[in-house]
Amino acid sequence: MKKIGIIGAMELEVEELKSRLSDTRVTNKAGMEFFEGTLNGAEAVIVRCGIGKVNAALCVQILADLFQVTHVINTGVAGSLNAKLDIGDILVSRDAVQHDMDVSPLGYAPGIIPQLESSFFKADETLVRLAMESCAAVNPDIHVLSGRVLSGDQFIAGKEMKEKLVSTFQGDCAEMEGAAIAHGACLNRIPFVIIRAISDKADDSAEMDYPSFERAAAGHCAKLVADLVTRI
Ligand code: ADE
């Protein structure tokens, strides 16, 4: 039986999905509320994990241990690192990396986590394909790309940092949880995909754009995820 864990960092990123959930049971763990029920006919657990990589990693481990989820979807907003991704567009993860992991003084390339097989966590190919199909079905006017998610405990809001992230990691969007969720899902051998709508350009305009566009961007993702669960 399939059971889909859906994680958003902020209430805004999960509220629409939670409102569509039926037969809901709520479990509290580690300061998070896990809403378990039926979403468009699929068994799902929806949770707001809070901001940042630690919250995200804890959350995915709880979804694995307590709820035995078979798939993980991370939904939310992100800053664009790719000129082809404008505000409102959607990025579906091909892979994800923690851009603030830096053991370079010991000879490791930026982002590399020593002693781990891979630090570029690859999203499940079937989930990526299904997410692209969902987007075409429910958001036909929204431009969608598959690409690389960069995550770190930092809000990116400057040209210099943005350029550094692009040149070092060839990332397509920046956010604060996806790669930690990917890391946790991979360690637990659970297929995952990250779906992020663009709320800002991660540059000097980000501080202004983010509050204006986060709600609409989060809504684009929620619509996609509500359809995606029916295809898994
Ligand atoms: N989430 C949305 N925009 C972001 C940005 N610019 N940096 C980090 N996380 C984000």
Side-chain angles (χ1 to χ4, degrees), residues 73-136:
I73 300 171
N74 174 215
T75 177
V77 299
S80 173
L81 300 176
N82 180 335
K84 291 190 186 129
L85 274 177
D86 212 339
I87 290 173
D89 291 349
I90 290 181
L91 181 116
V92 176
S93 61
R94 183 182 64 243
D95 60 9
V97 63
Q98 294 163 43
H99 67 73
D100 55 356
M101 173 59 67
D102 184 2
V103 195
S104 57
L106 300 184
Y108 294 90
I112 295 299
I113 304 169
Q115 300 171 15
L116 205 63
E117 197 179 307
S118 173
S119 303
F120 290 78
F121 302 103
K122 213 174 152 350
D124 180 72
E125 281 175 15
T126 305
L127 288 179
V128 173
R129 179 176 52 78
L130 295 176
M132 301 296 280
E133 286 174 15
S134 279
C135 197

Side-chain angles (χ1 to χ4, degrees), residues 1 4 6 17-25 35-46 229:
M1 188 61 188
I4 304 160
I6 302 171
L17 292 166
K18 271 164 48 177
S19 74
R20 297 186 193 209
L21 200 67
S22 55
D23 310 317
T24 310
R25 294 173 299 284
F35 291 77
E36 199 178 359
T38 309
L39 179 64
N40 281 347
E43 234 193 294
V45 187
I46 305 174
V229 297

Side-chain angles (χ1 to χ4, degrees), residues 77-79 154-156 174-176 199-200 202 210:
V77 299
Q154 271 170 285
F155 188 88
I156 310 301
E175 39 82 304
M176 302 175 71
S199 54
D200 58 83
Y210 178 83

Side-chain angles (χ1 to χ4, degrees), residues 5-15 17 46-49 72-78 90-91 175 177-178 181 193-197 217-226 228:
I6 302 171
I7 306 173
M10 298 176 296
E11 191 56 29
L12 174 104
E13 294 168 327
V14 290
E15 64 191 9
L17 292 166
I46 305 174
V47 53
R48 169 174 65 91
C49 70
V72 169
I73 300 171
N74 174 215
T75 177
V77 299
I90 290 181
L91 181 116
E175 39 82 304
E177 298 82 22
I181 290 168
V193 67
I194 303 161
I195 299 163
R196 294 275 177 165
H220 293 173
C221 272
K223 203 167 160 199
L224 193 164
V225 173
L228 174 58

